Amino acid sequence: MYSQSTRSIRITVEPTYLDDQSAPDEQRFVWAYHVRIENQGPETVQLRSRYWRITDARGKVQEVRGAGVVGEQPVLKPGESFEYTSGTPLPTSSGFMVGTYQMENQTGERFDVAVPAFSLDSPHQPKRVN
């Protein structure tokens, strides 16, 4: 698991390789990632948008932006959390993701919350011996 906090908003991510949805012979590798967003601060916030930077093992970068997450823009009061699972395919057997969520507090101030970089690893990665 990977965790990071920004302005009392804690983001925890747990990626999982999906062998049943992947086809290594066709250069298709699929991961799910489970995200928990916890409001550990004193103010109510709403998740407005997301930004992902997805990098495969060849260094090819894909950027994804959009409103909310999984079709929702959750409101989190102090002490509340929101969890969701999404996924991403890659043409390589490994990669990584990093991103931000834009949050808005009750006064209308918007700020970015960092999503920690997390590794997308599969059992099909080439083995390296040092």
Side-chain angles (χ1 to χ4, degrees), residues 2-127:
Y2 303 81
S3 291
Q4 187 168 350
S5 293
T6 307
R7 280 185 60 165
S8 300
I9 307 297
R10 183 168 190 78
I11 309 295
T12 303
V13 183
E14 184 173 8
T16 305
Y17 178 69
L18 301 177
D19 196 46
D20 62 328
Q21 294 183 30
S22 298
D25 294 343
E26 298 169 17
Q27 303 301 300
R28 180 174 168 80
F29 303 86
V30 182
W31 287 265
Y33 52 92
H34 183 81
V35 179
R36 179 179 172 88
I37 304 164
E38 300 174 79
N39 184 355
Q40 299 176 330
E43 59 186 354
T44 297
V45 296
Q46 182 172 16
L47 191 157
R48 289 298 191 178
S49 63
R50 71 187 182 286
Y51 165 76
W52 289 112
R53 183 178 168 93
I54 307 164
T55 306
D56 71 19
R58 294 184 196 107
K60 182 180 176 209
V61 174
Q62 177 185 1
E63 294 185 330
V64 178
R65 298 176 193 274
V69 290
V70 294
E72 297 188 48
Q73 293 182 321
V75 174
L76 300 173
K77 295 178 183 171
E80 290 185 337
S81 63
F82 178 81
E83 296 186 42
Y84 74 95
T85 301
S86 191
T88 190
L90 285 180
T92 60
S93 61
S94 66
F96 65 91
M97 291 177 64
V98 65
T100 56
Y101 295 134
Q102 186 177 75
M103 309 298 277
E104 183 176 355
N105 66 18
Q106 290 180 300
T107 65
E109 177 192 4
R110 292 191 178 206
F111 58 96
D112 287 339
V113 172
V115 178
F118 57 96
S119 182
L120 302 170
D121 301 310
S122 81
H124 304 282
Q125 297 180 112
K127 303 289 188 249

